[in-house]
Amino acid sequence: MPKLKNTAQLHRVLVIAIVLMLAMGGMTVAQPLSPVINEFSASTTGTDIEYVEIFGLPNTDYTHLTILEIEGDTTGAGVIDEIVPVGSTNSLDLWYTDLPANSLENGTITLLLVEGFTGSLSQDLDIENDGTFDITPWTTILDSVAVNDGGAGDITYSETVLFANYDGMAFAPGGASRIPDGTDTGGVTDWIRNDFDLFGIPGYTGTPVLGEAKNTPGSPNELVPEPTPIITLIHDVQGSGEASPLVGQTVIIEAIVVGDYQDGASGTNGDLDGFYIQEENDNADADPLTSEGIFIYDGSAPAVDVNIGDLVSVEGVVSEHYGMTEITSLTDVTVISSDNDLPMATSLTLPVTAVSDFESYEGMLITFPQELIIAEYFNFDRYGEIVLTSERHLTPTAEFEPGSNDVTQAVADYLLDKITLDDGRESQNPDPAIHPNGEIFTLDNLFRGGDAVENVTGIMDYDYGIYRIQPTQGADYTASNPRPDQPDDTGGNLKVASFNVLNYFITFGERGADNAEEFERQRDKIVAALAAIDADVVGLIEIENYPGDEPTADLVSGLNDVLGAGTYSYIATGAIGTDEIRVAMIYKPASVSPLGDYAILDSTVDPRFIDTLNRPTLAQTFMDDSTGGIFTVAINHLKSKGSACPDDPDIGDGAGNCNLTRTAAAQALVDWLSSDPTGSGDSDFLIIGDLNSYDKEDPIDAIIRGADDILGTGDDYTDLAYELLGEDAYSYVFDGQIGYLDYALASAELFDEITG
């Protein structure tokens, strides 16, 4: 660039054109929106060096523009003191116009760069001297600069921001600074106005030298474009594989915010400490394996608040967070514009052909327009998670024989037909919980397993080993599986039930309630449920194995407080077995009477029944007080699938851990009952309780075959749930699949007396 000559009394207007690289091939560089006043100098000490510098595009004719000097002090505020035509430019040549000596005064002035000027010298634009133009003889103000020299009686005017277009606002309140030129004598005239420069603007380098014209070639103040930043497209970051090919590299991305989950983000439930951005539709590639979205992690205290619809520029490091591609270690987040149209949400359906199909949409705005079923909600209260499927799935071994090809296929089918709907939060036990419809979950806004949702819309996320949707809006919800007000009337004159009281402990510690308040809540709910069931005989599961019968007695006391004294009584057994929990039995004395003593099946009775793994079985014979009929109830709680037994691990056939242990216990059970352990003299036996086996597994097969181990003989048992409710009967949901582990199996003699 040409250097300003130090010529006495040379007053000039400088027009400097800077070569700018245009955005091509994903590359951008900062450039002015219109020509602007960049710097000026007026009335310096000694030989005057006065100029006005304009920053604009090269090879551009600016002769239609005019620079106006507007008086700013109290006596002549708003008067046009000087009219300076802008000379034309030619490539990088320097053009200037000689001015009369001291034409740019040292007092408070405003410099305006205007287009379409029609006024005249000495014209008063601010007739009322109130800092507001009353006359505007131009079509547009391109740029304005206000200076306050600190002298007595100055009116304070503002310095405009580079590139700003004030559209007529010239005298806003505020103040402008002055910078010494390095030869300050202390006088008010010894100053150079060097405030309005491009240094510090992203995209350019340079260091201002006071008292020297800007952009001097070879000088530290030369304005030099920084290396052109390279914009990386998101699909190039994501790549076509599970991990990004650019891990560890710093990239700059420009895209639209499609999901805002910054901590405490307005209008969302988010505390994921970041946001998702997605390429605009026109920037997406044609490769179906590459995602166009990505998560931006900005921590719990983001420096820049973004909103959905913002076009943002993000600079950071590509990383993989437990399988999720992210941009972290941010060095810049800039909101370029707001209220942009969002990229079109990608429509998906279940089932997919492979779970890995979801990888292609990681970080993108997606929607499931189809009706999906609420299949699982175990983690809803703790993590706000709900599993959705296109249909309800049975647990494979509730439908097929363990180890069969059908089980293998059912496992695969379920994995392809599930997606987790999250709530945009990482915190545990979030309050309030969010219903799938996007509203707060309350007693008046409930959902139930088997209910349906449509148009589930959000961001495809991946965390803790599963793909999940972080919602951006509520789904369309239908209560398609309403809870019946009461069970169907199945007839009969006696009702028998089993009920898992889920660690009913009257002592507080490792299991059960932690304190009295929790215990009262647990007790009230169980009492209310048992009172509603209103059974004549109830087998209890997971009650505290106290030295005496106090836990059972306490529960009966609570029931009688609600239903009336003496409504229920219990079979007094004391502790049974060595586990912390046991089974127990309560009954209505007005309906049935216990006959004889209870009986216990444990390892001492049959070594096949391992009572350190299975809880001992309790059997009691009752007489129907109204008919004199006799029947025996056996309440059970066999070993769970959750942990392996000695020499009895999960072999991968679908039956889980301890299948042999449960099967041996089932064989011992039917053999024991066939011996009439209570001395009832009657073969009406009802096996109830938690057998921890689905109905196609070996333990249930063993019970159904009876003591002789032959199917189709007189000692067979009937699975009442399967017989009366069908294949799809369920009382249990695990991992989004339904089935039942709780049973009522009737001996052949008793089955004919069952009404429902």
Side-chain angles (χ1 to χ4, degrees), residues 357-389:
D357 291 351
F358 290 134
E359 176 70 20
S360 302
Y361 308 102
E362 181 185 83
M364 291 178 61
L365 184 63
I366 54 93
T367 185
F368 286 85
Q370 75 189 110
E371 180 178 275
L372 297 175
I373 303 301
I374 296 175
E376 167 78 77
Y377 34 86
F378 179 77
N379 280 328
F380 175 69
D381 59 339
R382 188 174 183 184
Y383 297 112
E385 298 174 356
I386 299 168
V387 175
L388 305 176
T389 56

PDB file of all heavy atoms in Angstrom, residues 357-389:
ATOM      1  N   ASP A 357     -27.811 -48.621  11.499  1.00  0.00           N
ATOM      2  CA  ASP A 357     -28.441 -47.658  10.588  1.00  0.00           C
ATOM      3  C   ASP A 357     -28.601 -46.298  11.258  1.00  0.00           C
ATOM      4  O   ASP A 357     -28.554 -45.255  10.595  1.00  0.00           O
ATOM      5  CB  ASP A 357     -29.817 -48.160  10.144  1.00  0.00           C
ATOM      6  CG  ASP A 357     -29.728 -49.369   9.223  1.00  0.00           C
ATOM      7  OD1 ASP A 357     -28.606 -49.710   8.798  1.00  0.00           O
ATOM      8  OD2 ASP A 357     -30.782 -49.965   8.936  1.00  0.00           O
ATOM      9  N   PHE A 358     -28.809 -46.304  12.577  1.00  0.00           N
ATOM     10  CA  PHE A 358     -29.023 -45.041  13.286  1.00  0.00           C
ATOM     11  C   PHE A 358     -27.781 -44.153  13.257  1.00  0.00           C
ATOM     12  O   PHE A 358     -27.883 -42.935  13.406  1.00  0.00           O
ATOM     13  CB  PHE A 358     -29.421 -45.306  14.737  1.00  0.00           C
ATOM     14  CG  PHE A 358     -30.791 -45.897  14.905  1.00  0.00           C
ATOM     15  CD1 PHE A 358     -30.998 -46.972  15.752  1.00  0.00           C
ATOM     16  CD2 PHE A 358     -31.878 -45.375  14.229  1.00  0.00           C
ATOM     17  CE1 PHE A 358     -32.260 -47.526  15.918  1.00  0.00           C
ATOM     18  CE2 PHE A 358     -33.142 -45.916  14.385  1.00  0.00           C
ATOM     19  CZ  PHE A 358     -33.338 -46.994  15.230  1.00  0.00           C
ATOM     20  N   GLU A 359     -26.595 -44.768  13.094  1.00  0.00           N
ATOM     21  CA  GLU A 359     -25.350 -44.003  13.091  1.00  0.00           C
ATOM     22  C   GLU A 359     -25.350 -42.942  12.003  1.00  0.00           C
ATOM     23  O   GLU A 359     -24.774 -41.859  12.168  1.00  0.00           O
ATOM     24  CB  GLU A 359     -24.162 -44.950  12.911  1.00  0.00           C
ATOM     25  CG  GLU A 359     -22.798 -44.270  12.791  1.00  0.00           C
ATOM     26  CD  GLU A 359     -22.330 -43.648  14.093  1.00  0.00           C
ATOM     27  OE1 GLU A 359     -22.836 -44.046  15.166  1.00  0.00           O
ATOM     28  OE2 GLU A 359     -21.463 -42.745  14.044  1.00  0.00           O
ATOM     29  N   SER A 360     -26.008 -43.224  10.897  1.00  0.00           N
ATOM     30  CA  SER A 360     -26.029 -42.282   9.773  1.00  0.00           C
ATOM     31  C   SER A 360     -26.815 -41.021  10.083  1.00  0.00           C
ATOM     32  O   SER A 360     -26.770 -40.053   9.311  1.00  0.00           O
ATOM     33  CB  SER A 360     -26.635 -42.963   8.533  1.00  0.00           C
ATOM     34  OG  SER A 360     -25.908 -44.118   8.190  1.00  0.00           O
ATOM     35  N   TYR A 361     -27.568 -41.017  11.203  1.00  0.00           N
ATOM     36  CA  TYR A 361     -28.391 -39.863  11.558  1.00  0.00           C
ATOM     37  C   TYR A 361     -27.956 -39.251  12.888  1.00  0.00           C
ATOM     38  O   TYR A 361     -28.641 -38.386  13.424  1.00  0.00           O
ATOM     39  CB  TYR A 361     -29.859 -40.281  11.645  1.00  0.00           C
ATOM     40  CG  TYR A 361     -30.330 -41.004  10.411  1.00  0.00           C
ATOM     41  CD1 TYR A 361     -30.456 -42.394  10.395  1.00  0.00           C
ATOM     42  CD2 TYR A 361     -30.609 -40.308   9.240  1.00  0.00           C
ATOM     43  CE1 TYR A 361     -30.860 -43.067   9.251  1.00  0.00           C
ATOM     44  CE2 TYR A 361     -31.013 -40.971   8.087  1.00  0.00           C
ATOM     45  CZ  TYR A 361     -31.134 -42.352   8.108  1.00  0.00           C
ATOM     46  OH  TYR A 361     -31.527 -43.002   6.977  1.00  0.00           O
ATOM     47  N   GLU A 362     -26.793 -39.690  13.394  1.00  0.00           N
ATOM     48  CA  GLU A 362     -26.303 -39.201  14.679  1.00  0.00           C
ATOM     49  C   GLU A 362     -26.191 -37.677  14.673  1.00  0.00           C
ATOM     50  O   GLU A 362     -25.565 -37.086  13.806  1.00  0.00           O
ATOM     51  CB  GLU A 362     -24.932 -39.821  14.963  1.00  0.00           C
ATOM     52  CG  GLU A 362     -24.320 -39.415  16.283  1.00  0.00           C
ATOM     53  CD  GLU A 362     -22.915 -39.968  16.431  1.00  0.00           C
ATOM     54  OE1 GLU A 362     -21.974 -39.340  15.898  1.00  0.00           O
ATOM     55  OE2 GLU A 362     -22.753 -41.028  17.057  1.00  0.00           O
ATOM     56  N   GLY A 363     -26.836 -37.042  15.640  1.00  0.00           N
ATOM     57  CA  GLY A 363     -26.782 -35.592  15.756  1.00  0.00           C
ATOM     58  C   GLY A 363     -27.766 -34.848  14.881  1.00  0.00           C
ATOM     59  O   GLY A 363     -27.815 -33.617  14.912  1.00  0.00           O
ATOM     60  N   MET A 364     -28.575 -35.561  14.088  1.00  0.00           N
ATOM     61  CA  MET A 364     -29.487 -34.912  13.147  1.00  0.00           C
ATOM     62  C   MET A 364     -30.899 -34.807  13.709  1.00  0.00           C
ATOM     63  O   MET A 364     -31.307 -35.570  14.594  1.00  0.00           O
ATOM     64  CB  MET A 364     -29.524 -35.697  11.832  1.00  0.00           C
ATOM     65  CG  MET A 364     -28.251 -35.646  11.027  1.00  0.00           C
ATOM     66  SD  MET A 364     -28.341 -36.643   9.506  1.00  0.00           S
ATOM     67  CE  MET A 364     -29.705 -35.838   8.631  1.00  0.00           C
ATOM     68  N   LEU A 365     -31.657 -33.880  13.162  1.00  0.00           N
ATOM     69  CA  LEU A 365     -33.070 -33.733  13.470  1.00  0.00           C
ATOM     70  C   LEU A 365     -33.835 -34.831  12.736  1.00  0.00           C
ATOM     71  O   LEU A 365     -33.778 -34.928  11.511  1.00  0.00           O
ATOM     72  CB  LEU A 365     -33.562 -32.351  13.029  1.00  0.00           C
ATOM     73  CG  LEU A 365     -35.011 -31.985  13.350  1.00  0.00           C
ATOM     74  CD1 LEU A 365     -35.243 -31.946  14.854  1.00  0.00           C
ATOM     75  CD2 LEU A 365     -35.361 -30.641  12.720  1.00  0.00           C
ATOM     76  N   ILE A 366     -34.550 -35.676  13.506  1.00  0.00           N
ATOM     77  CA  ILE A 366     -35.263 -36.802  12.906  1.00  0.00           C
ATOM     78  C   ILE A 366     -36.695 -36.839  13.451  1.00  0.00           C
ATOM     79  O   ILE A 366     -37.018 -36.213  14.462  1.00  0.00           O
ATOM     80  CB  ILE A 366     -34.548 -38.147  13.162  1.00  0.00           C
ATOM     81  CG1 ILE A 366     -34.306 -38.367  14.674  1.00  0.00           C
ATOM     82  CG2 ILE A 366     -33.214 -38.196  12.440  1.00  0.00           C
ATOM     83  CD1 ILE A 366     -35.361 -39.133  15.362  1.00  0.00           C
ATOM     84  N   THR A 367     -37.545 -37.587  12.760  1.00  0.00           N
ATOM     85  CA  THR A 367     -38.917 -37.753  13.230  1.00  0.00           C
ATOM     86  C   THR A 367     -39.394 -39.159  12.884  1.00  0.00           C
ATOM     87  O   THR A 367     -39.015 -39.722  11.855  1.00  0.00           O
ATOM     88  CB  THR A 367     -39.855 -36.693  12.603  1.00  0.00           C
ATOM     89  OG1 THR A 367     -41.149 -36.805  13.179  1.00  0.00           O
ATOM     90  CG2 THR A 367     -39.959 -36.852  11.103  1.00  0.00           C
ATOM     91  N   PHE A 368     -40.200 -39.722  13.783  1.00  0.00           N
ATOM     92  CA  PHE A 368     -40.854 -41.015  13.540  1.00  0.00           C
ATOM     93  C   PHE A 368     -42.345 -40.742  13.386  1.00  0.00           C
ATOM     94  O   PHE A 368     -43.062 -40.607  14.381  1.00  0.00           O
ATOM     95  CB  PHE A 368     -40.624 -41.978  14.714  1.00  0.00           C
ATOM     96  CG  PHE A 368     -39.242 -42.548  14.780  1.00  0.00           C
ATOM     97  CD1 PHE A 368     -38.220 -41.859  15.407  1.00  0.00           C
ATOM     98  CD2 PHE A 368     -38.959 -43.781  14.217  1.00  0.00           C
ATOM     99  CE1 PHE A 368     -36.942 -42.379  15.484  1.00  0.00           C
ATOM    100  CE2 PHE A 368     -37.677 -44.319  14.282  1.00  0.00           C
ATOM    101  CZ  PHE A 368     -36.665 -43.618  14.916  1.00  0.00           C
ATOM    102  N   PRO A 369     -42.838 -40.629  12.167  1.00  0.00           N
ATOM    103  CA  PRO A 369     -44.257 -40.309  11.985  1.00  0.00           C
ATOM    104  C   PRO A 369     -45.185 -41.462  12.358  1.00  0.00           C
ATOM    105  O   PRO A 369     -46.364 -41.245  12.632  1.00  0.00           O
ATOM    106  CB  PRO A 369     -44.352 -39.978  10.495  1.00  0.00           C
ATOM    107  CG  PRO A 369     -43.202 -40.704   9.866  1.00  0.00           C
ATOM    108  CD  PRO A 369     -42.109 -40.711  10.888  1.00  0.00           C
ATOM    109  N   GLN A 370     -44.688 -42.692  12.385  1.00  0.00           N
ATOM    110  CA  GLN A 370     -45.537 -43.852  12.625  1.00  0.00           C
ATOM    111  C   GLN A 370     -45.989 -43.927  14.088  1.00  0.00           C
ATOM    112  O   GLN A 370     -45.422 -43.280  14.978  1.00  0.00           O
ATOM    113  CB  GLN A 370     -44.775 -45.129  12.270  1.00  0.00           C
ATOM    114  CG  GLN A 370     -43.720 -45.523  13.317  1.00  0.00           C
ATOM    115  CD  GLN A 370     -42.827 -46.643  12.887  1.00  0.00           C
ATOM    116  OE1 GLN A 370     -41.647 -46.408  12.641  1.00  0.00           O
ATOM    117  NE2 GLN A 370     -43.333 -47.861  12.792  1.00  0.00           N
ATOM    118  N   GLU A 371     -47.019 -44.736  14.330  1.00  0.00           N
ATOM    119  CA  GLU A 371     -47.447 -44.989  15.706  1.00  0.00           C
ATOM    120  C   GLU A 371     -46.451 -45.928  16.371  1.00  0.00           C
ATOM    121  O   GLU A 371     -46.159 -47.001  15.864  1.00  0.00           O
ATOM    122  CB  GLU A 371     -48.839 -45.609  15.729  1.00  0.00           C
ATOM    123  CG  GLU A 371     -49.346 -45.910  17.130  1.00  0.00           C
ATOM    124  CD  GLU A 371     -50.744 -46.486  17.140  1.00  0.00           C
ATOM    125  OE1 GLU A 371     -51.706 -45.698  17.122  1.00  0.00           O
ATOM    126  OE2 GLU A 371     -50.856 -47.731  17.141  1.00  0.00           O
ATOM    127  N   LEU A 372     -45.931 -45.519  17.526  1.00  0.00           N
ATOM    128  CA  LEU A 372     -44.999 -46.327  18.298  1.00  0.00           C
ATOM    129  C   LEU A 372     -45.608 -46.636  19.664  1.00  0.00           C
ATOM    130  O   LEU A 372     -46.386 -45.842  20.200  1.00  0.00           O
ATOM    131  CB  LEU A 372     -43.660 -45.613  18.463  1.00  0.00           C
ATOM    132  CG  LEU A 372     -42.884 -45.325  17.169  1.00  0.00           C
ATOM    133  CD1 LEU A 372     -41.640 -44.517  17.468  1.00  0.00           C
ATOM    134  CD2 LEU A 372     -42.521 -46.630  16.457  1.00  0.00           C
ATOM    135  N   ILE A 373     -45.232 -47.785  20.210  1.00  0.00           N
ATOM    136  CA  ILE A 373     -45.781 -48.256  21.472  1.00  0.00           C
ATOM    137  C   ILE A 373     -44.813 -47.956  22.610  1.00  0.00           C
ATOM    138  O   ILE A 373     -43.594 -48.139  22.466  1.00  0.00           O
ATOM    139  CB  ILE A 373     -46.053 -49.777  21.405  1.00  0.00           C
ATOM    140  CG1 ILE A 373     -46.992 -50.102  20.244  1.00  0.00           C
ATOM    141  CG2 ILE A 373     -46.633 -50.282  22.730  1.00  0.00           C
ATOM    142  CD1 ILE A 373     -48.329 -49.422  20.322  1.00  0.00           C
ATOM    143  N   ILE A 374     -45.335 -47.488  23.732  1.00  0.00           N
ATOM    144  CA  ILE A 374     -44.517 -47.324  24.933  1.00  0.00           C
ATOM    145  C   ILE A 374     -44.293 -48.718  25.517  1.00  0.00           C
ATOM    146  O   ILE A 374     -45.189 -49.321  26.100  1.00  0.00           O
ATOM    147  CB  ILE A 374     -45.199 -46.402  25.949  1.00  0.00           C
ATOM    148  CG1 ILE A 374     -45.345 -44.988  25.363  1.00  0.00           C
ATOM    149  CG2 ILE A 374     -44.402 -46.353  27.247  1.00  0.00           C
ATOM    150  CD1 ILE A 374     -46.114 -44.031  26.245  1.00  0.00           C
ATOM    151  N   ALA A 375     -43.077 -49.230  25.309  1.00  0.00           N
ATOM    152  CA  ALA A 375     -42.783 -50.613  25.669  1.00  0.00           C
ATOM    153  C   ALA A 375     -42.086 -50.742  27.016  1.00  0.00           C
ATOM    154  O   ALA A 375     -42.206 -51.768  27.676  1.00  0.00           O
ATOM    155  CB  ALA A 375     -41.914 -51.257  24.583  1.00  0.00           C
ATOM    156  N   GLU A 376     -41.336 -49.724  27.433  1.00  0.00           N
ATOM    157  CA  GLU A 376     -40.508 -49.825  28.641  1.00  0.00           C
ATOM    158  C   GLU A 376     -40.433 -48.463  29.306  1.00  0.00           C
ATOM    159  O   GLU A 376     -40.290 -47.436  28.630  1.00  0.00           O
ATOM    160  CB  GLU A 376     -39.110 -50.303  28.245  1.00  0.00           C
ATOM    161  CG  GLU A 376     -38.049 -50.181  29.309  1.00  0.00           C
ATOM    162  CD  GLU A 376     -38.127 -51.281  30.340  1.00  0.00           C
ATOM    163  OE1 GLU A 376     -37.699 -52.410  30.046  1.00  0.00           O
ATOM    164  OE2 GLU A 376     -38.632 -50.998  31.443  1.00  0.00           O
ATOM    165  N   TYR A 377     -40.501 -48.436  30.621  1.00  0.00           N
ATOM    166  CA  TYR A 377     -40.461 -47.175  31.355  1.00  0.00           C
ATOM    167  C   TYR A 377     -39.750 -47.353  32.687  1.00  0.00           C
ATOM    168  O   TYR A 377     -39.898 -46.558  33.601  1.00  0.00           O
ATOM    169  CB  TYR A 377     -41.891 -46.654  31.588  1.00  0.00           C
ATOM    170  CG  TYR A 377     -42.890 -47.774  31.784  1.00  0.00           C
ATOM    171  CD1 TYR A 377     -43.115 -48.342  33.024  1.00  0.00           C
ATOM    172  CD2 TYR A 377     -43.559 -48.296  30.684  1.00  0.00           C
ATOM    173  CE1 TYR A 377     -43.990 -49.393  33.176  1.00  0.00           C
ATOM    174  CE2 TYR A 377     -44.444 -49.355  30.824  1.00  0.00           C
ATOM    175  CZ  TYR A 377     -44.655 -49.901  32.081  1.00  0.00           C
ATOM    176  OH  TYR A 377     -45.513 -50.953  32.230  1.00  0.00           O
ATOM    177  N   PHE A 378     -38.924 -48.409  32.803  1.00  0.00           N
ATOM    178  CA  PHE A 378     -38.217 -48.699  34.047  1.00  0.00           C
ATOM    179  C   PHE A 378     -37.327 -47.528  34.453  1.00  0.00           C
ATOM    180  O   PHE A 378     -37.210 -47.201  35.639  1.00  0.00           O
ATOM    181  CB  PHE A 378     -37.385 -49.980  33.890  1.00  0.00           C
ATOM    182  CG  PHE A 378     -36.603 -50.362  35.110  1.00  0.00           C
ATOM    183  CD1 PHE A 378     -37.231 -50.960  36.194  1.00  0.00           C
ATOM    184  CD2 PHE A 378     -35.243 -50.116  35.189  1.00  0.00           C
ATOM    185  CE1 PHE A 378     -36.512 -51.301  37.332  1.00  0.00           C
ATOM    186  CE2 PHE A 378     -34.513 -50.457  36.312  1.00  0.00           C
ATOM    187  CZ  PHE A 378     -35.155 -51.056  37.389  1.00  0.00           C
ATOM    188  N   ASN A 379     -36.675 -46.881  33.485  1.00  0.00           N
ATOM    189  CA  ASN A 379     -35.767 -45.773  33.786  1.00  0.00           C
ATOM    190  C   ASN A 379     -36.435 -44.407  33.673  1.00  0.00           C
ATOM    191  O   ASN A 379     -35.747 -43.388  33.663  1.00  0.00           O
ATOM    192  CB  ASN A 379     -34.562 -45.817  32.844  1.00  0.00           C
ATOM    193  CG  ASN A 379     -33.530 -46.832  33.277  1.00  0.00           C
ATOM    194  OD1 ASN A 379     -33.365 -47.083  34.467  1.00  0.00           O
ATOM    195  ND2 ASN A 379     -32.840 -47.428  32.319  1.00  0.00           N
ATOM    196  N   PHE A 380     -37.762 -44.392  33.577  1.00  0.00           N
ATOM    197  CA  PHE A 380     -38.425 -43.104  33.393  1.00  0.00           C
ATOM    198  C   PHE A 380     -38.273 -42.214  34.623  1.00  0.00           C
ATOM    199  O   PHE A 380     -37.964 -41.029  34.509  1.00  0.00           O
ATOM    200  CB  PHE A 380     -39.911 -43.312  33.087  1.00  0.00           C
ATOM    201  CG  PHE A 380     -40.688 -42.022  33.012  1.00  0.00           C
ATOM    202  CD1 PHE A 380     -40.486 -41.139  31.970  1.00  0.00           C
ATOM    203  CD2 PHE A 380     -41.612 -41.687  33.991  1.00  0.00           C
ATOM    204  CE1 PHE A 380     -41.186 -39.940  31.889  1.00  0.00           C
ATOM    205  CE2 PHE A 380     -42.316 -40.504  33.923  1.00  0.00           C
ATOM    206  CZ  PHE A 380     -42.104 -39.628  32.872  1.00  0.00           C
ATOM    207  N   ASP A 381     -38.501 -42.774  35.827  1.00  0.00           N
ATOM    208  CA  ASP A 381     -38.457 -41.925  37.010  1.00  0.00           C
ATOM    209  C   ASP A 381     -37.044 -41.459  37.322  1.00  0.00           C
ATOM    210  O   ASP A 381     -36.847 -40.349  37.812  1.00  0.00           O
ATOM    211  CB  ASP A 381     -39.067 -42.644  38.217  1.00  0.00           C
ATOM    212  CG  ASP A 381     -38.351 -43.938  38.549  1.00  0.00           C
ATOM    213  OD1 ASP A 381     -37.668 -44.484  37.665  1.00  0.00           O
ATOM    214  OD2 ASP A 381     -38.486 -44.405  39.704  1.00  0.00           O
ATOM    215  N   ARG A 382     -36.046 -42.267  37.017  1.00  0.00           N
ATOM    216  CA  ARG A 382     -34.672 -41.915  37.369  1.00  0.00           C
ATOM    217  C   ARG A 382     -33.967 -41.102  36.294  1.00  0.00           C
ATOM    218  O   ARG A 382     -33.251 -40.152  36.583  1.00  0.00           O
ATOM    219  CB  ARG A 382     -33.875 -43.182  37.676  1.00  0.00           C
ATOM    220  CG  ARG A 382     -32.485 -42.910  38.227  1.00  0.00           C
ATOM    221  CD  ARG A 382     -31.800 -44.187  38.657  1.00  0.00           C
ATOM    222  NE  ARG A 382     -30.494 -43.902  39.242  1.00  0.00           N
ATOM    223  CZ  ARG A 382     -29.629 -44.838  39.632  1.00  0.00           C
ATOM    224  NH1 ARG A 382     -29.960 -46.113  39.503  1.00  0.00           N
ATOM    225  NH2 ARG A 382     -28.459 -44.513  40.135  1.00  0.00           N
ATOM    226  N   TYR A 383     -34.170 -41.493  35.029  1.00  0.00           N
ATOM    227  CA  TYR A 383     -33.440 -40.846  33.936  1.00  0.00           C
ATOM    228  C   TYR A 383     -34.338 -40.205  32.881  1.00  0.00           C
ATOM    229  O   TYR A 383     -33.829 -39.626  31.923  1.00  0.00           O
ATOM    230  CB  TYR A 383     -32.533 -41.857  33.233  1.00  0.00           C
ATOM    231  CG  TYR A 383     -31.447 -42.432  34.110  1.00  0.00           C
ATOM    232  CD1 TYR A 383     -31.468 -43.775  34.480  1.00  0.00           C
ATOM    233  CD2 TYR A 383     -30.408 -41.637  34.577  1.00  0.00           C
ATOM    234  CE1 TYR A 383     -30.472 -44.314  35.281  1.00  0.00           C
ATOM    235  CE2 TYR A 383     -29.405 -42.161  35.382  1.00  0.00           C
ATOM    236  CZ  TYR A 383     -29.442 -43.505  35.733  1.00  0.00           C
ATOM    237  OH  TYR A 383     -28.456 -44.027  36.524  1.00  0.00           O
ATOM    238  N   GLY A 384     -35.660 -40.328  33.028  1.00  0.00           N
ATOM    239  CA  GLY A 384     -36.556 -39.753  32.035  1.00  0.00           C
ATOM    240  C   GLY A 384     -36.572 -40.502  30.723  1.00  0.00           C
ATOM    241  O   GLY A 384     -36.903 -39.926  29.689  1.00  0.00           O
ATOM    242  N   GLU A 385     -36.238 -41.798  30.734  1.00  0.00           N
ATOM    243  CA  GLU A 385     -36.128 -42.581  29.510  1.00  0.00           C
ATOM    244  C   GLU A 385     -37.342 -43.488  29.316  1.00  0.00           C
ATOM    245  O   GLU A 385     -37.850 -44.078  30.273  1.00  0.00           O
ATOM    246  CB  GLU A 385     -34.866 -43.452  29.550  1.00  0.00           C
ATOM    247  CG  GLU A 385     -33.578 -42.669  29.638  1.00  0.00           C
ATOM    248  CD  GLU A 385     -32.373 -43.578  29.818  1.00  0.00           C
ATOM    249  OE1 GLU A 385     -32.550 -44.810  29.943  1.00  0.00           O
ATOM    250  OE2 GLU A 385     -31.253 -43.039  29.848  1.00  0.00           O
ATOM    251  N   ILE A 386     -37.776 -43.617  28.063  1.00  0.00           N
ATOM    252  CA  ILE A 386     -38.876 -44.499  27.681  1.00  0.00           C
ATOM    253  C   ILE A 386     -38.452 -45.240  26.417  1.00  0.00           C
ATOM    254  O   ILE A 386     -37.943 -44.623  25.478  1.00  0.00           O
ATOM    255  CB  ILE A 386     -40.165 -43.696  27.404  1.00  0.00           C
ATOM    256  CG1 ILE A 386     -40.610 -42.942  28.648  1.00  0.00           C
ATOM    257  CG2 ILE A 386     -41.279 -44.611  26.912  1.00  0.00           C
ATOM    258  CD1 ILE A 386     -41.691 -41.920  28.376  1.00  0.00           C
ATOM    259  N   VAL A 387     -38.650 -46.555  26.387  1.00  0.00           N
ATOM    260  CA  VAL A 387     -38.328 -47.344  25.194  1.00  0.00           C
ATOM    261  C   VAL A 387     -39.578 -47.464  24.328  1.00  0.00           C
ATOM    262  O   VAL A 387     -40.662 -47.809  24.819  1.00  0.00           O
ATOM    263  CB  VAL A 387     -37.813 -48.740  25.575  1.00  0.00           C
ATOM    264  CG1 VAL A 387     -37.590 -49.588  24.320  1.00  0.00           C
ATOM    265  CG2 VAL A 387     -36.511 -48.622  26.367  1.00  0.00           C
ATOM    266  N   LEU A 388     -39.425 -47.179  23.029  1.00  0.00           N
ATOM    267  CA  LEU A 388     -40.521 -47.240  22.070  1.00  0.00           C
ATOM    268  C   LEU A 388     -40.262 -48.367  21.069  1.00  0.00           C
ATOM    269  O   LEU A 388     -39.121 -48.597  20.658  1.00  0.00           O
ATOM    270  CB  LEU A 388     -40.647 -45.913  21.322  1.00  0.00           C
ATOM    271  CG  LEU A 388     -40.809 -44.651  22.170  1.00  0.00           C
ATOM    272  CD1 LEU A 388     -40.817 -43.419  21.276  1.00  0.00           C
ATOM    273  CD2 LEU A 388     -42.068 -44.707  23.008  1.00  0.00           C
ATOM    274  N   THR A 389     -41.328 -49.052  20.675  1.00  0.00           N
ATOM    275  CA  THR A 389     -41.252 -50.091  19.647  1.00  0.00           C
ATOM    276  C   THR A 389     -42.448 -49.933  18.719  1.00  0.00           C
ATOM    277  O   THR A 389     -43.419 -49.251  19.049  1.00  0.00           O
ATOM    278  CB  THR A 389     -41.265 -51.492  20.274  1.00  0.00           C
ATOM    279  OG1 THR A 389     -42.432 -51.634  21.095  1.00  0.00           O
ATOM    280  CG2 THR A 389     -40.032 -51.730  21.131  1.00  0.00           C
TER     281      THR A 389
END
